[in-house]
DNA sequence: GTCTATAAGCGGATAGAC
DNA sequence: GTCTATCCGCTTATAGAC
């Protein structure tokens, strides 16, 4: 299926990212070869190097772009305009929806950190730190206003993020529970865990 | 540093497990070579095959033994003798302590599932299912007795396990919080998240 | 932009000496 | 039980033709 004539750089670039993301998530970065990515894209291995100088860069780009998009999407919600409780609920819904829609991005962003070289690792960690800070800001506001009963903002933030992100490990679109039901259950769970007053309807 | 004479099978077996566990956790199964394990153990690569028929078996054994030990340790606590609330608190303490003491075991048991061949995968999953069932049993008891306010036992169990296991990703022995302080925070967090009445002192 | 060909080395695993 | 030597396939990455 070689298609040297009629080749299309933009389409190939898109396909490489798509295939690499899928394979890295499925098998892990170290277990996927450039040949395998190329085969699935429908080009020869050498062609991949027109789009990334090496395999490491391909991984790093996928992770950094994901984290940047996540941060932008959350910022676009303007959560600072909401009350702490509403902002927390908005965060729960946002996080679940964004992550359930992109399970492969989530998976590699948590699993492949150790395969990043130092410089790329630092970039991704900084972006993750910013995202954690967004949740901490909400918890802090609610804590100061005595709306929440939180023993430690940092630990609570880590715990909430872990449980929300964990949804992607077991959620199946055709499972027992609909996504909206899961969102409802987690909203209750998180509100209860921060000791918020029984919530008005979501 | 060859030591053919004076070689000691039992000691080597122990060291192989120790080194393989450490390296798999650090770099991931696929990124660690048998040669690298051998080098760190202080033997030649061929010698490893006296202890495992292949690399896959080495990984599977580490994971299965960890899950079996985890289950035995929990069973030894006889949680069914406790009230649901006390059992839940016991579970939180047990899980945090057991996992914080064995971060590498925990890490590979969650991260390397995808590198297990079908048969080994099934074994590990069955053991994990049993452990999840132990927590669900507590939640069910408390729910039936109207001690807990739980929207869905399965989702709540997954959420609690995710947040507890997540401790190992950020806990550092010399960090801001002592382990006992973290245990206290998580106990409150989990009790609040299941809607349990404000707890007596732990 | 993609191909073919190839460099240079590492991978898991085995055979047979000691 | 461990070593040395080895098979051979697969790895990332590059060079140069088209």
């Amino acid at each position: 299926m070689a298609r040297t004539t009629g080749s299309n750089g933009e389409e190939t670039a898109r396909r490489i990212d798509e295939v690499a993301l899928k394979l890295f998530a499925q098998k892990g970065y170290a277990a996927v070869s450039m040949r395998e990515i190329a085969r699935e894209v429908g080009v020869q291995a050498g062609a991949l190097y027109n789009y990334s100088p090496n395999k490491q860069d391909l991984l790093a780009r996928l992770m950094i772009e994901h984290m940047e998009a996540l941060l932008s999407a959350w910022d676009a919600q303007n959560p600072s305009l909401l009350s702490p409780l509403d902002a927390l609920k908005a965060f729960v819904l946002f996080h679940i929806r964004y992550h359930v829609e992109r399970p492969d991005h989530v998976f590699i962003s948590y699993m492949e950190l150790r395969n990043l070289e130092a410089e790329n690792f630092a970039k991704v960690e900084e972006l993750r730190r910013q995202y954690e800070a967004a949740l901490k800001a909400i918890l802090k506001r609610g804590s100061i206003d005595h709306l929440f009963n939180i023993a430690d903002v940092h630990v609570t933030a880590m715990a909430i993020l872990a449980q929300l992100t964990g949804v992607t490990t077991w959620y199946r679109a055709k499972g027992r529970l609909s996504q909206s039901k899961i969102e409802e259950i987690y909203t209750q769970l998180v509100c209860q865990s921060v000791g918020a007053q029984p919530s008005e309807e979501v």
Side-chain angles (χ1 to χ4, degrees), chain A:
Chain A
M1 289 286 247
R3 45 188 172 91
T4 298
T5 23
S7 66
N8 180 336
E10 279 194 28
E11 170 69 2
T12 303
R14 206 187 52 69
R15 298 259 307 125
I16 290 172
D17 283 6
E18 182 186 19
V19 168
L21 177 67
K22 191 191 75 177
L23 291 177
F24 288 163
Q26 249 171 41
K27 311 187 167 188
Y29 173 74
V32 176
S33 70
M34 294 298 265
R35 277 177 174 75
E36 188 177 2
I37 296 170
R39 194 184 320 127
E40 196 130 335
V41 169
V43 296
Q44 291 299 314
L48 299 182
Y49 292 86
N50 290 320
Y51 298 91
S52 299
N54 52 52
K55 191 184 171 189
Q56 166 75 198
D57 244 64
L58 177 52
L59 173 65
R61 187 162 43 76
L62 290 174
M63 292 176 70
I64 291 170
E65 285 177 3
H66 165 63
M67 290 304 298
E68 286 174 343
L70 172 68
L71 275 169
S72 299
W74 172 245
D75 285 345
Q77 307 246 323
N78 286 310
S80 55
L81 304 178
L82 302 173
S83 74
L85 184 57
D86 284 343
L88 182 61
K89 288 179 187 171
F91 186 87
V92 170
L93 293 185
F94 169 80
H95 189 95
I96 292 179
R97 287 174 187 170
Y98 198 91
H99 285 61
V100 160
E101 282 167 14
R102 295 164 185 80
D104 289 346
H105 285 97
V106 174
F107 204 67
I108 68 163
S109 290
Y110 282 78
M111 303 282 270
E112 302 300 350
L113 275 170
R114 62 183 164 189
N115 286 308
L116 289 178
E117 289 163 10
E119 198 178 338
N120 294 324
F121 181 83
K123 268 188 212 158
V124 173
E125 276 299 289
E126 167 58 18
L127 291 167
R128 177 194 314 290
R129 204 197 52 70
Q130 285 179 37
Y131 188 64
E132 291 170 0
L135 174 57
K136 286 190 196 177
I138 297 172
L139 297 180
K140 232 171 273 174
R141 280 205 287 138
S143 215
I144 290 171
D145 298 354
H146 300 289
L147 297 170
F148 300 159
N149 175 29
I150 291 174
D152 187 273
V153 167
H154 175 71
V155 173
T156 303
M158 295 298 103
I160 290 174
L161 283 170
Q163 71 184 23
L164 290 181
T165 303
V167 175
T168 58
T169 64
W170 55 263
Y171 172 72
R172 297 294 173 270
K174 309 202 169 167
R176 175 174 61 94
L177 299 165
S178 69
Q179 189 179 323
S180 69
K181 184 68 188 164
I182 290 170
E183 290 168 0
E184 189 189 314
I185 294 168
Y186 268 87
T187 301
Q188 180 196 325
L189 204 54
V190 169
C191 288
Q192 281 186 182
S193 74
V194 299
Q197 307 85 329
S199 53
E200 324 83 84
E201 283 309 294
V202 183

